[in-house]
Amino acid sequence: MLVHTDAKSPVPSLAAILADVDKQLKDLKDVWGQRLKENPASFGTVEVDVHQTMQQAADQIVAGLLAQVGQQASLQDACKKSR
């Protein structure tokens, strides 16, 4: 995994990311549920959508975690050693 600790655009706080993910999931659960209610045969595509959404959420959370600890000397040292 490639990690850039000198990004120009700031990463939102982990709390903000988690709140945004929570809101997205609450909104999407209704969409997914409605799709399944209208067309139970769409389960396969809904499942793929859920997995993709969770993968994107995981990426956002990892970015938030790295931003949270990114200024710690131990992470900066590890980045220098990996270059």
Side-chain angles (χ1 to χ4, degrees):
M1 173 171 57
L2 184 58
V3 177
H4 295 277
T5 58
D6 56 350
K8 301 297 181 220
S9 59
V11 175
S13 71
L14 185 55
I17 291 170
L18 291 172
D20 185 53
V21 167
D22 183 57
K23 182 185 179 318
Q24 288 176 26
L25 292 176
K26 286 178 180 174
D27 293 343
L28 286 171
K29 75 171 177 60
D30 295 333
V31 172
W32 294 326
Q34 187 63 33
R35 281 175 48 195
L36 287 173
K37 181 179 178 183
E38 292 172 2
N39 181 11
S42 69
F43 177 78
T45 57
V46 170
E47 181 183 16
V48 169
D49 289 349
V50 171
H51 281 274
Q52 289 175 341
T53 299
M54 297 309 292
Q55 184 175 3
Q56 291 170 352
D59 291 342
Q60 292 173 9
I61 292 167
V62 168
L65 286 167
L66 287 172
Q68 182 176 314
V69 299
Q71 300 306 315
Q72 293 180 358
S74 61
L75 182 61
Q76 290 177 1
D77 290 344
C79 288
K80 288 176 187 174
K81 290 177 185 177
S82 69
R83 290 183 189 164

